[in-house]
Amino acid sequence: MKFEVVTGPLTARRESILLGVTEGKTLPAWADGWAAPVRKGVEGLLKSGRFHGKLNETFLLPVDSHWPAGRGAASNSRSQWIILVGAGKKEELTLDRVRQAAATASRRALSAGIDGFARGLVQVPGAKPEEVAQVVTEGTILGTYRYLELKEVPPEERRSLKTVTLVVKTAQEAAVARAGIRRGQAIAEAVCWARDMINRPSNRLTPTAMAQEAKAAAKKFRFRCRVLGPDQMRRLGMNAVLAVAQGSKEPSRFIILEYRGAGTRQKRPLVWLGKGITFDSGGISIKPADKMEQMKYDMSGGAAVLGALRAIAALKLPVHVVGLVPATENLPGGSAQKPGDVIRAFGGRTIEVINTDAEGRLVLADALAYAQRYKPEGMVDLATLTGACVVALGQHAMGLMGNNPKLIDEVKAAATRSQERAWELPLWPEYAESIRSDVADVKNVGDGKAGTITAGYFLKEFAKETPWVHLDIAGVAWSDSDRGYLRKGATGAGVRLLVELATHWKGVR
Ligand code: BES
Ligand code: MN
Ligand code: ZN
């Protein structure tokens, strides 16, 4: 897909045209300068009650010799179309709604056989034109994403948009739009890469394959990547990752990424950690069969860390970030860890494994303890950690917990800016009581109440004094349906949030 920027009036374009319309029956200002039959056609449609401008509503109007008779019925790739998309109420317009509308409209165009269109840039209250260009680019790429690696589909289903043309008024606006497009492309392509890894089944995206993806990206986008195998992990004492890996024949991998942007004044790195369970069967505490196939997405946190590192490297942001992804399967093989086992995590703390299905916090325990080596300025982990988080917040927000108000505020600000919503849950000391063990320093499950918080509290014990935020992305990492710029399946949640965090990183000390 190619993005172009041109100056001149949108009404002079010969290709199909995408128009965002807010709710209301009046003809918007963009229709000035349009040929009378076109104006009439759009006006007629708005008055007819067949198109209201509600968010993500679409309508195709043909602009051809038969105008305005055809009215969006047939699909004909040779004619010019007006692709109308609703943007909701004018006073409720946000960057995220523009991103959603761009996605929905692009998808509608593509399924109608339209392979490119021109569009303008709306004004969003409180947002810069560069940001509008960015979200339009993100919406178009993310909304038309599909996972087709393993499926034979008719060629017309494999088509993608060829050219999207942003039409602006002045050369200065064009420069601003190009900057926004560049940022939007780097981010959206990183999200699509994360989605591909997450959607890829676990027999194909093994821990080894995930590490190879990381290495290839590191080479292409110029950041460092080191991968530890089981032997090196054993020497270091990463016994929690190894314990989870015990039940599987696939060797575990500990992926270490480092990006240091030119011009960074950071003395200590920001460390991002991502849960990389390429398949979670639960282990000996095995999960029920229903929907177990979805547990290939249990490496979504790891994919988000890889994706965000790739994006900030592509954008050459002036920051210093380390990424850590402990990657393994969680299977109930003959040598699998068993309930009651006690393991010694990296750094020496002991953990009683009550439930082998609480494996994410185990691999993150090693990773958080290992991260201390970098003397991080702050740590942010992302993990599909608890089903309880899906119950609490559903698909619309991640759970957020942390030990440092300043870092929590920075992450919240990044969540707001990226519209990857995060909602804070408390880590009051009383919650610690339920993870006290009779035989070890800590146990890996609580009493069944507040499951998201007890998981967070467990991680807190390994973050120690280092400023740290935990994001439980179990609810947001997978979508059951197409929704705006999210497609059914992997969402790539967390990439946009982390890139925002890196962009505005001020430090917490
Ligand atoms: N990967 C799961 C959490 C999960 C569940 C993510 C459903 C997405 C959808 C995690 O490893 C897990 O199994 N957690 C357990 C913890 C429990 C044993 C304390 C859970 O949430 O049931
Ligand atoms: Mn589990
Ligand atoms: Zn899991």
Side-chain angles (χ1 to χ4, degrees), residues 231-271:
D231 294 337
Q232 286 153 300
M233 289 163 68
R234 199 162 296 116
R235 278 198 292 277
L236 284 166
M238 292 188 171
N239 299 316
V241 182
L242 291 170
V244 174
Q246 244 167 253
S248 166
K249 290 207 169 109
E250 283 296 331
S252 53
R253 298 285 182 248
F254 195 90
I255 306 168
I256 305 171
L257 311 171
E258 186 164 6
Y259 165 76
R260 194 194 292 261
T264 172
R265 274 166 302 183
Q266 262 175 268
K267 293 210 177 65
R268 298 151 168 258
L270 176 58
V271 177

Side-chain angles (χ1 to χ4, degrees), residues 324-501:
L324 302 176
V325 179
T328 172
E329 297 187 322
N330 183 26
L331 291 185
S335 52
Q337 66 171 337
K338 304 168 291 297
D341 287 3
V342 173
I343 57 185
R344 191 178 290 281
F346 184 90
R349 294 176 70 90
T350 56
I351 306 166
E352 184 184 10
V353 180
I354 301 293
N355 189 317
T356 65
D357 197 12
E359 84 298 338
R361 62 199 80 181
L362 297 180
V363 301
L364 284 172
D366 271 352
L368 286 164
Y370 183 80
Q372 313 279 344
R373 284 197 163 184
Y374 293 92
K375 303 206 183 321
E377 191 160 357
M379 306 190 283
V380 179
D381 79 70
L382 295 93
T384 46
L385 207 63
T386 63
C389 192
V390 191
V391 174
L393 298 170
Q395 298 197 315
H396 301 295
M398 12 186 143
L400 181 155
M401 287 140 271
N403 64 1
N404 179 294
K406 253 181 118 175
L407 183 60
I408 289 173
D409 282 347
E410 280 213 40
V411 176
K412 280 183 182 170
T416 303
R417 282 194 305 269
S418 64
Q419 273 299 297
E420 293 209 274
R421 291 196 183 106
W423 197 254
E424 187 176 0
L425 300 170
L427 289 183
W428 293 311
E430 286 79 0
Y431 289 107
E433 287 154 26
S434 73
I435 54 171
R436 293 293 152 242
S437 162
D438 295 335
V439 298
D441 296 332
V442 65
K443 65 180 179 182
N444 79 331
V445 295
D447 54 12
K449 296 169 187 147
T452 302
I453 295 176
T454 50
Y457 212 100
F458 179 96
L459 298 180
K460 182 175 185 270
E461 309 252 301
F462 292 85
K464 299 202 178 144
E465 306 306 314
T466 306
W468 153 85
V469 163
H470 161 56
L471 297 171
D472 193 328
I473 60 170
V476 294
W478 190 265
S479 181
D480 294 329
S481 59
D482 289 345
R483 289 181 283 147
Y485 49 86
L486 304 180
R487 304 303 312 261
K488 187 175 180 186
T491 63
V495 174
R496 289 189 290 123
L497 185 153
L498 289 177
V499 173
E500 270 309 308
L501 183 68

Side-chain angles (χ1 to χ4, degrees), residues 275 277 280 287 295 298 330 357 359-360 384-385:
K275 173 177 173 180
I277 302 295
D280 181 13
K287 289 181 181 295
M295 278 300 125
D298 216 15
N330 183 26
D357 197 12
E359 84 298 338
T384 46
L385 207 63

